[in-house]
Amino acid sequence: MNNELQHALLADVAREAGVSTASVSRVLNRAPHVSSQLRVRVEAAVDKLGYVPHGSARALASSRIGAIGALVPTLDNPIFSTGINRLEQRLKHHDYRLLIATYRYDLDDELEALNTLIQQGVDGLVLIGHDHRPSALTTLKRRRLPFLTCWHSIDDPNWPSIGFDNTAPAQTLAEHLLSLGHRQLAVVSAPVESNDRARGRLQGFLQAAEQAGCAIPPERVVTVAYGIAEGFQAFETLMRLETPPTAILCGNDILAFGVMLAAQRAGVRIPDDLSVTGFDDLPQARFMTPALTTVAVPAADIGYQVADALVARIAGETLPHRQLLDAPLVIRDSTGPLSTTS
């Protein structure tokens, strides 16, 4: 594209279309009662000149930038990708585009990314979880930017949210294993620092075991980075214990996949010799051999509802401060009764 096309102005579009700049603005801002003839002429001029409306100027004219920012720990995790994809699709329905920044669970980096998105121009923001630097809330309030957090269930008057409980389903998973006779439980967890979801799940696992009188000791809790290879290595670590576990609770499905693959390579039968659980219900979970018992995280529903709720907040509507979605237990074949030979 040459410089002339790159620097096309609103007046150039108006001249090319043979209309006023006000008429061009009405078409670009999708004003009501614009004739189809005018719209066709303006859009043809826009296409010919390669005109791109300046975001700041459009915002001044309409009090709306047309963009939503989302701060996501990582897109390596398919469950986040599912939620973000649905969020973006639903925002398009509302005529908003989505700007995404990742921060790898580094809250200082998240704060920097937050400031960058605000500087670029957004009408609202979506944040994952409840762990954030205090300055993030200060910035959002000072800018009076509508925002929502998601993926957690913490009731905080400062942080409106749409999410699910991470602790209670984790307790249910552990109780399921206990009901099958397992007492030698172990946990493979994602790092809990700056990650309230991982902390909540670990808390649920530990609480359920303690309440049943078979507390999980520290050596049976392996914390690893997110990944199949990391789950594979965690299995090997746990199986080297003097008394190996008969059941392993994993903080997410990806870690569970790694544990299951390692067990298969080691000749450990699932669930005959070892029961394994995940947390997410990724599409692959039902196709594992055996299929994985897990918790179904409502990722797509969160994305859809966050989009609708945030757009409504931007419009000045009053909505519930906290909304909770179900995250049900999905029992499949990777869990079974304690073997009499265990």
Side-chain angles (χ1 to χ4, degrees), residues 255-303:
L255 293 177
F257 296 162
V259 167
M260 293 178 72
L261 292 171
Q264 290 170 2
R265 177 173 293 187
V268 175
R269 299 170 301 166
I270 300 174
D272 297 339
D273 303 324
L274 177 72
S275 286
V276 180
T277 68
F279 202 115
D280 282 338
D281 198 22
L282 296 177
Q284 302 94 316
R286 71 189 63 186
F287 299 111
M288 293 293 289
T289 305
L292 180 64
T293 292
T294 187
V295 169
V297 168
D301 286 345
I302 289 174

Side-chain angles (χ1 to χ4, degrees), residues 216-266:
I216 302 173
E219 64 270 19
R220 290 186 182 275
V221 178
V222 179
T223 299
V224 293
Y226 179 87
I228 289 179
E230 288 75 8
F232 196 107
Q233 293 164 3
F235 167 86
E236 294 179 335
T237 298
L238 290 169
M239 288 304 167
R240 285 195 295 266
L241 294 174
E242 184 176 350
T243 305
T246 64
I248 299 178
L249 295 145
C250 297
N252 56 61
D253 282 358
I254 292 294
L255 293 177
F257 296 162
V259 167
M260 293 178 72
L261 292 171
Q264 290 170 2
R265 177 173 293 187

Side-chain angles (χ1 to χ4, degrees), residues 124-326:
L125 282 155
V126 179
L127 300 93
I128 303 293
H130 187 259
D131 284 1
H132 311 283
R133 291 286 183 248
S135 297
L137 182 61
T138 302
T139 299
L140 291 166
K141 287 189 171 181
R142 185 171 61 242
R143 297 276 185 161
R144 297 183 180 179
L145 268 174
F147 67 93
L148 277 172
T149 59
C150 53
W151 294 84
H152 72 93
S153 63
I154 298 170
D155 191 4
D156 186 329
N158 289 314
W159 294 98
S161 65
I162 296 178
F164 59 95
D165 192 344
N166 285 274
T167 302
Q171 287 180 306
T172 303
L173 273 174
E175 289 166 356
H176 168 62
L177 293 174
L178 292 164
S179 72
L180 294 172
H182 296 280
R183 292 298 179 268
Q184 301 294 333
L185 304 182
V187 175
V188 179
S189 173
V192 299
E193 184 179 359
S194 304
N195 187 339
D196 51 87
R197 286 83 61 206
R199 275 201 313 278
R201 296 172 192 183
L202 178 58
Q203 180 183 2
F205 296 151
L206 297 179
Q207 284 179 348
E210 185 174 0
Q211 290 169 3
C214 52
I216 302 173
E219 64 270 19
R220 290 186 182 275
V221 178
V222 179
T223 299
V224 293
Y226 179 87
I228 289 179
E230 288 75 8
F232 196 107
Q233 293 164 3
F235 167 86
E236 294 179 335
T237 298
L238 290 169
M239 288 304 167
R240 285 195 295 266
L241 294 174
E242 184 176 350
T243 305
T246 64
I248 299 178
L249 295 145
C250 297
N252 56 61
D253 282 358
I254 292 294
L255 293 177
F257 296 162
V259 167
M260 293 178 72
L261 292 171
Q264 290 170 2
R265 177 173 293 187
V268 175
R269 299 170 301 166
I270 300 174
D272 297 339
D273 303 324
L274 177 72
S275 286
V276 180
T277 68
F279 202 115
D280 282 338
D281 198 22
L282 296 177
Q284 302 94 316
R286 71 189 63 186
F287 299 111
M288 293 293 289
T289 305
L292 180 64
T293 292
T294 187
V295 169
V297 168
D301 286 345
I302 289 174
Y304 189 97
Q305 294 197 32
V306 165
D308 284 355
L310 187 54
V311 169
R313 286 176 179 274
I314 292 169
E317 296 181 29
T318 300
L319 299 175
H321 182 77
R322 177 173 174 249
Q323 294 174 252
L324 289 181
L325 306 180
D326 290 333

